[in-house]
Amino acid sequence: MSSDFPPAYQNWEGTDPVDLFNAPVLRSECNPKVHIRRHLAQEARGCTYLILWLDCDREGENICYEVINCTGIPENEVGRRIFRAKFSSVTEKDISNAMDNLVLPNKDEALSVDARQEIDLKVGVAFTRFQTRYFQGKYGNLDSRVISYGPCQTPTLGFCVQRYQQINTFKPEKFWSLRTYVIKDGDEIQLEWDRKKLFDFDVTVMFQKMVANDGTLIVTDISVKEECKARPSGLNTVNLLKVASSALGIGPQTAMHMAERLYTQGYISYPRTESTAYPASFDFRSVLSALVHNPLWSNNIRTLMDAGFVKPRQGHDAGDHPPITPMRSASEEALETDAWRLYQYICQHFIGTVSPDCRYTRTAVEFTSGGEIFRCVGHRVTSKGFTSIMPWLAVAENNLPTFKNGDTVSIHKVDIYEGSTTPPDYLSESELISLMEKNGIGTDASIPVHINNISERNYVQVNSGRRLVPTALGTTLIRGYQCIDADLCLPDIRSFIEQQITLIAKGKADHLQVIQHVIQQFMKKYSYFVKKIENMDALFEAQFSPLADSGRLLSKCGKCGRYMKYISTQPMRMYCITCEEVYYLPQNGTIKLYKEIICPLDGFELLLFSMVGPDAKSFPLCPCCYNSPPFEGIDKLFGAIKLDDTGKLGKGAGMPCFLCPHPTCKQSMITQGVCACPECSGTLILDPVSAPKWRLLCNMCNCVVLLPHAAHRITTTDKKCSTCESTIIEVDFNKKATPLEDGATLHEGCILCDELLHSLIEMKHGKSFFMRRGRGRGRGRARGRGGSRGRGRRGNSRHDDPKMSFRDF
């Protein structure tokens, strides 16, 4: 289920963002087309018990209660008819154990998720709508569809900008150090100066002369110690994401999706866990036995099982799930390349946790010369331990020649090295994840989402080494928050919210009171932010170009008759300099002037929008009608239509020409519509720019019907078919390819009832073409040749693909 506002609050223009703080919140299916609610209700009929096998975290507990609600079983039946299965992997042993030890769903944890979702929705949408409307209405080169704010997302961006500011304000300083070399047993050895480096060149030269004049080094101390490098503790989600980014080059969100797939395929245990400690009863031997047949680590495992493996180090037990563990063997051929690399690391890490520590001998030799102290250190590995399976963590061996206390060694040379201090590098994804975890920003499941969001919103760019470089937009936003209310971009405020959420999850706080308290705090911050927005606007003005200076002249405004500018950077829009009006356009496509045709309703010149990709749709639109539909009930008649990712106009507000019910306009649905779509409740519209590959396109789904390609021209007429009420079309065939007798080229007919036309059409996407009977264009349901109803089963309909749906605009 997802949380959203009621339809009355969906229109960006008609709703003051401050009203959203007190608006009701509705829960609805994320993907209503698959009818999960109906399916669960049907399956629950006649059932005596409900056992919930959802993910074993807070979000999973929340979904438990969503399922209970869908089934219709009363919530008070928890403990009598409703039970909860707790498990960490989908192996037979874990499933059987969970079934034998059923527990109750946790209502408090479920409510904590509801509270977080409501807070994030109201705060995020209120600030986002205000910022987006304010800045996109003034500046043309922001290159972002939406200027978003989020209680987690914005502090995440703040970390990146903070590092960026540290880099920009960094002032390098020169330093000097001594590099002293000796030759022992034919090997040249560089010694480390005890002072490391100095920031005064003259003083460094003085020390160089003192050492050079002495000419020899005396061994004053030799230290030999047995040391060990500890094996890793169990692998949790955050550490997995950090390694995936820094070592494997896989972004956090991609890595999380891969881990979830590996889990559902049974290869690993539950991938969302904060724990690094295994329970005392964990069966390590069975896991090792499941992996022993893989040749990559079979020798390591056999050695461990023969000599006796060690238990992992004591880590952190968060009380949720055991660390991420491989559950069964996989082959490289069975998985995609990156998924295999991730699985391989999980296996190596687990084997490393039950391997001995790496042991080595550390030898340190101390010298003096001219009153200065120098050292050299050597390492000799005595037992590789876990580094045999995790070689990237191995101790670098460096064997020193034999020295004795009191030995005198001649100095080979003493050089002065000049260097400069360097600024820190941009934050890597791995470093950012550590900062987010340390400051309580997001959960192990949501951290990848927040990092992905600031990248997709064009606030940061992911450079080589997966380092995050803030864009001008991201930097300006954070600087603006700092000028108005620094709390808005600091992690402290999110940490406070998470503390309150945790209290709800533990049953120590009422979720309604927490929501009310947090919302009241953010309402005050929002009101102050709106009053002081000029402070942020001054930064935007210095960084970005006004709309009047952006874009290119394209089409005439219907209000003033002057040319409007087309701004191609996201979000694509038209801007009238004279009227100072912004008209948003569909996204992810191209825009051009459409034959200088004037909209009869408002006098604006029409534009032609073309989607990107093969078989992509093209359709005309009026900028004014698209933003402010002149006919009421368009959203109720054709369903909720989201214009673009900004949600600028809310659901149901967009009206291209193929949805326009104008009775006489040559571009409207009334005049260009041909017949009912066999796939949905839409209408098949003649694509006016598809020549010479003429086609009909559904105005609601991705159904495409190819018309005769031998046609020179195809147009709709004002005549209706007497049988099915579809619009009669006129086809002007090419002389050389006409199918008509005696070389005739002109033919009128209904594509459903006319035998000639029906034989020449072809269904490109959707069902085999429907039979000729219908109940009226745009309203009826024409039947297919096999007698099936025109509205296809949604599970098999290609228009269910959201990438092809008009609702994505």
Side-chain angles (χ1 to χ4, degrees):
M1 307 290 283
S2 62
S3 299
D4 206 347
F5 295 109
Y9 294 88
Q10 293 289 351
N11 192 308
W12 284 41
E13 298 294 340
T15 304
D16 189 335
V18 75
D19 295 336
L20 298 176
F21 288 104
N22 293 316
V25 174
L26 301 180
R27 302 275 287 174
S28 58
E29 285 186 77
C30 293
N31 188 357
K33 291 183 180 180
V34 296
H35 303 296
I36 292 293
R37 288 179 63 94
R38 185 178 67 189
H39 173 70
L40 288 172
Q42 291 172 348
E43 291 297 318
R45 291 174 185 170
C47 290
T48 308
Y49 294 100
L50 171 64
I51 303 178
L52 300 154
W53 294 78
L54 284 308
D55 289 347
C56 297
D57 54 13
R58 290 180 186 175
E59 285 73 18
E61 297 300 324
N62 186 261
I63 300 174
C64 282
Y65 281 88
E66 292 178 352
V67 172
I68 293 172
N69 178 261
C70 291
T71 60
I73 300 176
E75 202 173 298
N76 59 15
E77 292 290 334
V78 170
R80 292 192 294 268
R81 296 176 58 198
I82 301 174
F83 297 93
R84 175 78 159 103
K86 287 281 189 175
F87 58 101
S88 296
S89 70
V90 289
T91 60
E92 181 180 352
K93 179 181 177 181
D94 273 17
I95 291 174
S96 299
N97 184 62
M99 190 66 188
D100 292 338
N101 298 276
L102 296 175
V103 296
L104 304 182
N106 191 318
K107 181 67 172 178
D108 291 327
E109 290 190 356
L111 290 174
S112 72
V113 174
D114 287 340
R116 181 192 288 119
Q117 289 180 352
E118 183 170 342
I119 290 169
D120 288 349
L121 174 71
K122 290 184 173 180
V123 173
V125 174
F127 276 89
T128 297
R129 286 191 184 181
F130 174 73
Q131 290 180 170
T132 302
R133 291 173 59 189
Y134 187 89
F135 291 115
Q136 285 186 350
K138 296 187 68 173
Y139 304 102
N141 58 337
L142 298 178
D143 199 22
S144 180
R145 295 183 184 181
V146 57
I147 313 300
S148 62
Y149 174 86
C152 283
Q153 173 198 124
T154 303
T156 300
L157 173 62
F159 289 130
C160 300
V161 174
Q162 182 182 33
R163 177 62 63 87
Y164 170 81
Q165 291 171 335
Q166 290 173 355
I167 295 171
N168 277 3
T169 57
F170 183 85
K171 294 182 179 180
E173 288 185 83
K174 284 188 177 182
F175 65 84
W176 296 266
S177 63
L178 293 185
R179 289 188 173 178
T180 303
Y181 299 85
V182 298
I183 294 179
K184 178 71 171 178
D185 299 339
D187 295 327
E188 185 180 72
I189 303 172
Q190 180 182 331
L191 306 182
E192 181 182 347
W193 190 22
D194 187 54
R195 298 182 186 272
K196 305 294 184 184
K197 58 189 176 186
L198 297 175
F199 292 91
D200 190 310
F201 176 71
D202 294 334
V203 175
T204 309
V205 171
M206 178 190 70
F207 284 122
Q208 181 197 33
K209 290 179 179 179
M210 291 169 57
V211 174
N213 291 337
D214 193 322
T216 58
L217 291 158
I218 299 175
V219 178
T220 56
D221 184 61
I222 299 176
S223 171
V224 180
K225 292 182 179 179
E226 295 296 327
E227 297 189 357
C228 80
K229 186 173 186 177
R231 60 193 181 279
S233 9
L235 181 65
N236 64 9
T237 306
V238 168
N239 288 328
L240 175 66
L241 297 178
K242 288 161 65 175
V243 169
S245 176
S246 61
L248 305 180
I250 303 173
Q253 190 168 41
T254 303
M256 198 69 240
H257 289 161
M258 288 179 180
E260 289 169 349
R261 284 200 299 271
L262 290 172
Y263 163 67
T264 56
Q265 292 169 336
Y267 290 117
I268 65 173
S269 62
Y270 191 60
R272 292 197 287 269
T273 176
E274 298 177 13
S275 297
T276 58
Y278 283 94
S281 59
F282 193 87
D283 188 354
F284 297 100
R285 182 171 290 275
S286 65
V287 176
L288 291 171
S289 300
L291 302 177
V292 72
H293 300 294
N294 192 307
L296 288 176
W297 39 72
S298 58
N299 291 336
N300 300 83
I301 293 177
R302 288 193 176 95
T303 300
L304 288 174
M305 298 183 76
D306 292 342
F309 59 86
V310 297
K311 286 193 174 181
R313 290 168 50 212
Q314 186 61 41
H316 168 65
D317 184 3
D320 50 358
H321 294 279
I324 302 169
T325 307
M327 302 310 298
R328 67 184 179 97
S329 184
S331 63
E332 188 171 357
E333 294 74 22
L335 300 174
E336 296 177 357
T337 302
D338 284 342
W340 165 253
R341 293 168 62 219
L342 192 67
Y343 171 80
Q344 183 179 6
Y345 173 76
I346 294 171
C347 291
Q348 289 173 298
H349 188 102
F350 172 76
I351 298 169
T353 62
V354 295
S355 300
D357 294 337
C358 172
R359 299 190 176 276
Y360 60 96
T361 302
R362 180 182 184 274
T363 303
V365 183
E366 185 176 290
F367 306 84
T368 60
S369 176
E372 292 303 294
I373 299 174
F374 299 88
R375 292 185 182 86
C376 63
V377 178
H379 299 107
R380 181 173 62 85
V381 175
T382 56
S383 174
K384 288 186 176 180
F386 76 94
T387 61
S388 61
I389 190 67
M390 304 175 77
W392 58 90
L393 296 178
V395 175
E397 290 199 81
N398 175 27
N399 293 318
L400 294 179
T402 302
F403 292 96
K404 294 180 181 179
N405 267 321
D407 280 356
T408 300
V409 184
S410 298
I411 296 175
H412 177 56
K413 59 180 178 179
V414 183
D415 294 336
I416 292 180
Y417 170 78
E418 180 183 304
S420 294
T421 56
T422 56
D425 207 341
Y426 291 104
L427 272 184
S428 66
E429 286 176 331
S430 178
E431 293 169 329
L432 180 57
I433 291 170
S434 297
L435 286 171
M436 294 175 71
E437 181 190 28
K438 178 181 177 181
N439 290 274
I441 303 298
T443 64
D444 50 8
S446 65
I447 282 175
V449 177
H450 301 314
I451 296 176
N452 185 67
N453 281 344
I454 63 173
S455 177
E456 287 195 339
R457 302 279 161 80
N458 195 35
Y459 296 158
V460 299
Q461 293 180 342
V462 182
N463 283 11
S464 60
R466 302 207 65 84
R467 295 195 173 272
L468 304 171
V469 181
T471 62
L473 177 58
T475 305
T476 306
L477 270 176
I478 294 299
R479 289 178 59 204
Y481 295 132
Q482 291 170 342
C483 289
I484 299 174
D485 183 356
D487 282 348
L488 292 174
C489 60
L490 290 177
D492 305 36
I493 195 166
R494 185 63 195 189
S495 297
F496 169 75
I497 294 175
E498 289 299 330
Q499 290 169 6
Q500 302 300 306
I501 296 299
T502 300
L503 290 177
I504 297 174
K506 292 181 177 179
K508 297 180 179 180
D510 180 76
H511 82 288
L512 293 176
Q513 291 181 356
V514 169
I515 293 173
Q516 183 181 16
H517 173 69
V518 174
I519 291 299
Q520 285 177 349
Q521 297 299 314
F522 270 101
M523 276 188 68
K524 295 177 182 177
K525 288 185 173 294
Y526 174 83
S527 299
Y528 184 76
F529 179 76
V530 171
K531 290 178 182 178
K532 300 293 183 179
I533 191 63
E534 292 83 3
N535 295 345
M536 182 182 281
D537 188 37
L539 299 175
F540 271 77
E541 188 175 2
Q543 185 67 50
F544 301 103
S545 303
L547 281 176
D549 298 336
S550 305
R552 59 183 176 86
L553 298 177
L554 182 63
S555 65
K556 288 183 179 180
C557 172
K559 296 179 179 179
C560 65
R562 305 289 182 89
Y563 276 96
M564 299 190 296
K565 283 194 170 185
Y566 166 53
I567 299 168
S568 59
T569 55
Q570 294 184 350
M572 297 193 302
R573 54 207 188 276
M574 302 295 296
Y575 176 64
C576 179
I577 301 175
T578 305
C579 302
E580 295 185 347
E581 292 280 350
V582 178
Y583 301 93
Y584 288 85
L585 303 171
Q587 305 299 305
N588 299 325
T590 60
I591 288 285
K592 63 181 181 180
L593 189 64
Y594 185 57
K595 303 178 182 178
E596 298 184 352
I597 296 175
I598 303 296
C599 175
L601 292 171
D602 47 45
F604 280 75
E605 284 187 325
L606 299 188
L607 303 174
L608 183 70
F609 174 76
S610 301
M611 297 174 64
V612 178
D615 300 320
K617 290 183 178 181
S618 298
F619 54 84
L621 62 93
C622 164
C624 185
C625 293
Y626 188 79
N627 284 259
S628 303
F631 298 100
E632 294 184 2
I634 289 293
D635 56 334
K636 296 178 182 178
L637 183 62
F638 297 101
I641 301 170
K642 187 175 181 180
L643 300 186
D644 54 56
D645 289 348
T646 68
K648 170 66 181 175
L649 300 171
K651 293 181 179 178
M655 192 188 75
C657 293
F658 63 52
L659 288 179
C660 177
H662 194 286
T664 60
C665 176
K666 297 297 183 183
Q667 318 304 322
S668 73
M669 175 187 68
I670 301 299
T671 57
Q672 291 296 318
V674 175
C675 62
C677 175
E679 293 283 297
C680 69
S681 59
T683 302
L684 291 179
I685 307 290
L686 177 64
D687 185 349
V689 295
S690 58
K693 298 181 179 180
W694 296 96
R695 60 184 182 173
L696 302 178
L697 305 175
C698 177
N699 59 4
M700 294 299 292
C701 71
N702 72 327
C703 182
V704 178
V705 178
L706 301 182
L707 297 175
H709 286 182
H712 170 69
R713 177 179 54 84
I714 298 179
T715 57
T716 56
T717 68
D718 56 0
K719 305 173 186 176
K720 301 295 180 184
C721 174
S722 59
T723 303
C724 67
E725 298 184 14
S726 295
T727 297
I728 300 296
I729 64 171
E730 182 180 88
V731 182
D732 186 1
F733 290 100
N734 291 322
K735 291 183 178 180
K736 295 182 180 180
T738 178
L740 303 176
E741 296 180 357
D742 301 326
T745 59
L746 203 61
H747 181 78
E748 284 188 358
C750 168
I751 64 170
L752 303 181
C753 304
D754 186 276
E755 293 288 349
L756 173 65
L757 293 182
H758 195 77
S759 66
L760 295 176
I761 63 177
E762 175 187 351
M763 180 67 77
K764 180 69 173 178
H765 297 303
K767 288 181 172 292
S768 299
F769 207 67
F770 36 89
M771 289 178 64
R772 302 182 183 94
R773 295 185 62 187
R775 290 185 296 169
R777 176 173 49 79
R779 298 289 189 274
R781 293 289 186 273
R783 292 182 177 271
R785 287 182 174 176
S788 61
R789 291 188 65 82
R791 180 189 290 274
R793 294 174 60 191
R794 293 204 182 259
N796 299 325
S797 172
R798 290 195 57 181
H799 81 275
D800 287 338
D801 180 1
K803 291 182 289 186
M804 295 294 291
S805 172
F806 177 75
R807 290 168 174 82
D808 276 347
F809 298 148

